């Protein structure tokens, strides 16, 4: 399972990432790699986060992509096409707040 969380700024993305991990008990154990903005759980799930401005994940596929409310507010139509291209199923979810 690969999950990507997109925030508007890096700080917003990190806040959404922390909330995502804390709300899912199965991901409480694992290794956080700050330089890669990634958490790898003991079960092998990978959770990454980026800001909308980074757009450094082109060509990768994720089973889930979550977008923060702040990022959604600032999205252009081409951003949405980019986000949809990252998902295996083409579905995008609003990050839970």
């Amino acid at each position: 399972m690969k999950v990507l969380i997109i925030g508007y700024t890096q700080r917003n993305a990190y806040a959404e990432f922390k909330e995502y991990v804390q709300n899912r008990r199965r991901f409480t154990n694992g290794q956080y790699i700050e330089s890669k903005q990634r958490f790898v759980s003991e079960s092998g799930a990978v959770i990454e986060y980026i800001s909308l401005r980074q757009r450094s994940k082109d060509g990768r596929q994720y089973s889930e992509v979550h977008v923060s409310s702040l990022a959604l507010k600032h999205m252009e139509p081409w951003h949405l096409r980019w986000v949809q291209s990252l998902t295996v199923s083409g579905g995008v979810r609003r990050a839970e707040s």
Side-chain angles (χ1 to χ4, degrees), residues 6-34:
I6 301 172
Y8 182 59
T9 63
Q10 192 164 346
R11 175 178 270 170
N12 174 245
Y14 179 68
E16 294 287 346
F17 160 79
K18 277 181 31 180
E19 187 172 323
Y20 182 89
V21 172
Q22 289 172 350
N23 288 335
R24 286 153 183 85
R25 290 183 180 254
R26 66 183 182 272
F27 297 142
T28 55
N29 294 323
Q31 180 183 11
Y32 174 59
I33 306 163
E34 185 174 358

Side-chain angles (χ1 to χ4, degrees), residues 34-86:
E34 185 174 358
S35 62
K36 294 189 177 185
Q37 297 174 227
R38 174 185 299 172
F39 176 81
V40 181
S41 75
E42 287 182 348
S43 64
V46 176
I47 302 148
E48 299 179 2
Y49 65 95
I50 62 171
S51 72
L52 192 59
R53 295 177 184 171
Q54 284 177 290
R55 290 198 59 222
S56 60
K57 303 296 181 184
D58 287 339
R60 296 191 188 175
Q61 292 286 292
Y62 295 87
S63 48
E64 293 179 26
V65 175
H66 296 264
V67 182
S68 76
S69 299
L70 188 57
L72 279 173
K73 181 179 176 183
H74 293 279
M75 273 191 165
E76 300 288 333
W78 63 271
H79 283 126
L80 187 55
R81 287 191 296 276
W82 167 69
V83 170
Q84 288 175 324
S85 75
L86 297 172

